[in-house]
Amino acid sequence: MKTSIRLLGGALAAALFAAPVLADTVKIALIHGTSGSSLDAYSKQDETGFEMGLEYATNNTMEVNGHKIELIHKDTQFKPDVARAVLAEAYGDDDALIAVGGTSSGVTKAMLPIAKQYKRILLVEPAVADSLTGKESNRYVFKTSRNSSQDMQAQALSLNPDKDLYVATLAQDYSFGRDGIAAFKSALKDTGATVVDEEYVPLKTTDYTAAAQRMFAALKDKPGRKVILIYVAGGSDPLSKIAGMDPGRYGIELSAGGNILPAMVSYKAVPGMLGATYYYYGIPKNPINDWLVTEHEKRFGTPPDFFTAGGMAAALAVVKALKESPSLKTDDLIKTMAGMSWDTPKGEMTFRASDHQAMQDMYAFKIKVDPNVKWAVPELVRVIKPSEMDIPVGREDKN
């Protein structure tokens, strides 16, 4: 009898070990504004890129180390209070391991304390402001999107600044705009260039006449090169509107960073304009970008856009972290991601261990007008490497 029991116990144990183990599902919440603002186009691109990135990184299995990946979509409506509520819901009710978002820098900033409260990772994408990895941030926040300092240091380098350069700046009056101009001014320090005027306009401004006239007045009598730098998000098109006011009669040039393809149509008004960009589908040359361009054109009939690449970069970071982390515990994921490098459509990115900002290439360009292309083409002048940019450390992480 004892032998039978012992044999039965051994057989039962063998059966248990042979049985398939049900893997935990990894839930990832995409927290973006998909209603309530013209910036929803950014969100849609980012989420498309994220989904394509998961497909690429998992070889279309949507599975990592035996864990199925489930996506949860939440709409912030571009309202800070809604963003806080839906992020808390994603972590608490939905048990999301990682959240990705948001779109507006101001809205995303309101989400940072929620990540700390729930002790879960918030991967910031595509919001830009430096402050998102700054002193008010926390160890649970990582950022794949470029920050304002990367934007503006690249923008400054693209202008080849020296003592003969005089600049007036135009930006929106919130964290994205003010962080960006602060970073631009910092990048010009010690170059000899002079910022003669700073104009900040409300977020929903569509008429830039008064601000442009003030900038013209500040620049027109200056010697040397005179440039108006435009750092405005959304679809209000300040570039072509100010170009239409003929700044050239005062010898004033315009400069702006890259943008989504529909917005780049207006750049046809400024052939030869110098600027810097985070991404344009025709610039990076690597297998991941080749796949993204080919598949996006096949599925949607258009090339991938500015924020599509960002979404894919975020997904590739998540998958690598899940593959390499010793467990799904948040502390293990943080230790894996801090200092982690991974391949993206832009080439290699690295999360800086100190504040979790992704260090990445930027691209100096010159605008070319091709009648066979709907939008203006930012032709590569040169790649600006992370080592060329002095990006301030926003926060010292304590792992």
Side-chain angles (χ1 to χ4, degrees), residues 111-261:
M111 296 161 61
L112 305 183
I114 306 302
K116 184 177 182 180
Q117 177 185 342
Y118 282 86
K119 295 181 169 58
R120 299 284 177 91
I121 289 171
L122 172 62
L123 182 56
V124 175
E125 173 62 45
V128 173
D130 280 7
S131 54
L132 298 173
T133 49
K135 292 179 180 179
E136 296 177 41
S137 189
N138 57 75
R139 67 188 295 264
Y140 301 97
V141 177
F142 287 79
K143 192 165 180 290
T144 49
S145 54
R146 87 282 184 199
N147 68 8
S148 297
S149 286
Q150 289 167 327
D151 265 351
M152 290 293 98
Q153 290 200 25
Q155 194 73 22
L157 289 169
S158 76
L159 295 174
N160 302 307
D162 57 23
K163 63 182 178 59
D164 294 321
L165 177 65
Y166 295 86
V167 185
T169 64
L170 174 69
Q172 290 154 317
D173 194 8
Y174 76 118
S175 56
F176 168 81
R178 289 197 173 268
D179 282 7
I181 299 308
F184 180 73
K185 290 167 65 181
S186 177
L188 290 183
K189 194 176 296 183
D190 301 325
T191 68
T194 304
V195 174
V196 298
D197 184 37
E198 297 174 44
E199 296 291 331
Y200 296 97
V201 296
L203 190 58
K204 295 185 178 180
T205 297
T206 57
D207 183 354
Y208 297 93
T209 305
Q213 294 290 4
R214 289 191 293 270
M215 290 188 290
F216 291 172
L219 284 169
K220 65 180 182 179
D221 296 325
K222 300 298 181 188
R225 296 168 54 215
K226 300 180 279 265
V227 175
I228 290 176
L229 172 72
I230 299 170
Y231 194 56
V232 173
S236 59
D237 188 18
L239 183 66
S240 66
K241 290 175 181 177
I242 295 175
M245 297 173 66
D246 192 19
R249 71 187 188 273
Y250 301 120
I252 298 172
E253 306 168 36
L254 301 183
S255 181
N259 210 322
I260 61 174
L261 297 180

Side-chain angles (χ1 to χ4, degrees), residues 339-360:
M340 183 183 81
S341 296
W342 75 103
D343 292 325
T344 80
K346 297 180 59 182
E348 186 180 75
M349 289 187 187
T350 301
F351 283 127
R352 188 162 57 181
S354 54
D355 62 359
H356 304 168
Q357 169 62 51
M359 308 306 288
Q360 56 198 278

Side-chain angles (χ1 to χ4, degrees), residues 29-34 40-54 71-76 100-103 125-126 300 307-312 315:
L30 300 183
I31 314 289
H32 292 107
T34 55
D40 63 359
Y42 300 176
S43 304
K44 291 168 185 173
Q45 290 179 17
D46 203 271
E47 295 197 353
T48 294
F50 194 88
E51 291 169 357
M52 292 182 73
L54 289 181
L71 289 183
I72 301 164
H73 295 261
K74 303 283 186 180
D75 180 10
T76 70
V100 182
T103 312
E125 173 62 45
F300 305 106
F307 295 104
T308 319
M312 186 173 189

